Amino acid sequence: MLVAPSLLLLVFLVSFGTLNAASECGEIPITEWSGTESRRKQPLKSPIDLVVIQHTVSNDCFTDEECLLSVNSLRQHHMRLAGFKDLGYSFVAGGNGKIYEGAGWNHIGAHTLHYNNISIGIGFIGDFREKLPTQQALQAVQDFLACGVENNLLTEDYHVVGHQQLINTLSPGAVLQSEIESWPHWLDNARKVLG
C-alpha cells in the first residue's frame, strides 16, 4: 500500500508534537518539559479576558537547562509542599525567553484565589521586587499574549493585572508591577472593576 508523502508528514508532525494543540502560541507543552500530563482537568472558559502577572520568588534562569530545572522544581514545590494538584500557574516565563505550559489555556490553574476560574496566571521565574525580568522574558510574554488574541484564546480587550492588585501579596514584585503598568492592556483599580 502506498501512502501519500503529505499524509506521512502529517502523521510524523502529530506524533512528535509539532502540531500539538497545547502549543498554540509557542509555549513548551507540559508533557515536553516534565514528561507527564498536567493533572489539572477542570475546563477554563475561553476566550479569557484577564491575565494575572506574578513572579515565582525563586532563582532566575537564563539558559534552557536552568529554566527546565526551575520549572520542574516549581512544579514539585507546588505539588509536594503547597499541596496543589499540579503547578498552579497557567504558564511560566523563563529568562531564556521561553514560555512553559502549566495549567495552560484550557484548564483552571491555582494562581490567584477567587480569580482562577476567570483568568490565566503567568509567573515570571525569579524575584522581581528590585529588578526586571530579562528583556527576552518580557518580550516573550507580550508576544505570547498577542498570539492569544490572534488565536481567540484571549479577548481583544483583555486586561493585565499584577497579582498584588487582586490579593494581599508582593507579587509580581514592585519593579515588575511598575513595568506592566506601562503595558497597553493594564487595568488600574482591578479589584473595583472586577469586583
Side-chain angles (χ1 to χ4, degrees):
M1 177 172 108
L2 291 174
V3 179
S6 59
L7 180 59
L8 286 175
L9 177 61
L10 179 62
V11 169
F12 174 82
L13 292 174
V14 170
S15 297
F16 290 96
T18 306
L19 294 180
N20 188 332
S23 185
E24 295 170 83
C25 289
E27 68 271 24
I28 299 171
I30 194 168
T31 53
E32 188 175 316
W33 64 258
S34 75
T36 61
E37 289 187 11
S38 173
R39 293 178 177 97
R40 298 205 177 277
K41 302 298 181 194
Q42 191 172 0
L44 179 63
K45 185 180 172 191
S46 186
I48 301 153
D49 64 3
L50 181 62
V51 177
V52 182
I53 301 295
Q54 304 167 305
H55 68 166
T56 63
V57 193
S58 59
N59 292 332
D60 295 355
C61 70
F62 302 102
T63 67
D64 290 354
E65 289 175 356
E66 291 172 344
C67 292
L68 188 60
L69 287 172
S70 291
V71 75
N72 274 289
S73 177
L74 286 167
R75 186 181 195 202
Q76 292 309 311
H77 174 80
H78 280 198
M79 293 190 320
R80 291 191 179 148
L81 298 176
F84 290 0
K85 184 184 293 189
D86 207 318
L87 182 64
Y89 305 108
S90 305
F91 301 97
V92 180
N96 59 349
K98 294 186 178 175
I99 306 292
Y100 299 85
E101 179 189 36
W105 292 109
N106 301 316
H107 299 104
I108 296 173
H111 50 82
T112 310
L113 188 62
H114 304 300
Y115 296 90
N116 292 319
N117 64 340
I118 61 166
S119 66
I120 60 167
I122 300 177
F124 281 83
I125 297 175
D127 183 341
F128 302 107
R129 291 175 285 186
E130 298 180 2
K131 66 180 184 217
L132 279 174
T134 65
Q135 188 57 44
Q136 294 94 326
L138 292 168
Q139 190 62 56
V141 168
Q142 291 184 41
D143 292 346
F144 183 71
L145 296 176
C147 178
V149 171
E150 290 171 18
N151 286 288
N152 200 36
L153 300 164
L154 288 174
T155 61
E156 289 187 18
D157 60 347
Y158 73 92
H159 299 294
V160 171
V161 298
H163 197 201
Q164 65 186 335
Q165 292 178 256
L166 301 176
I167 66 170
N168 189 20
T169 181
L170 296 176
S171 180
V175 177
L176 182 52
Q177 177 67 35
S178 181
E179 168 68 19
I180 66 169
E181 288 176 10
S182 70
W183 292 7
H185 289 268
W186 179 67
L187 176 65
D188 195 8
N189 300 316
R191 285 188 197 177
K192 183 177 179 182
V193 172
L194 299 171

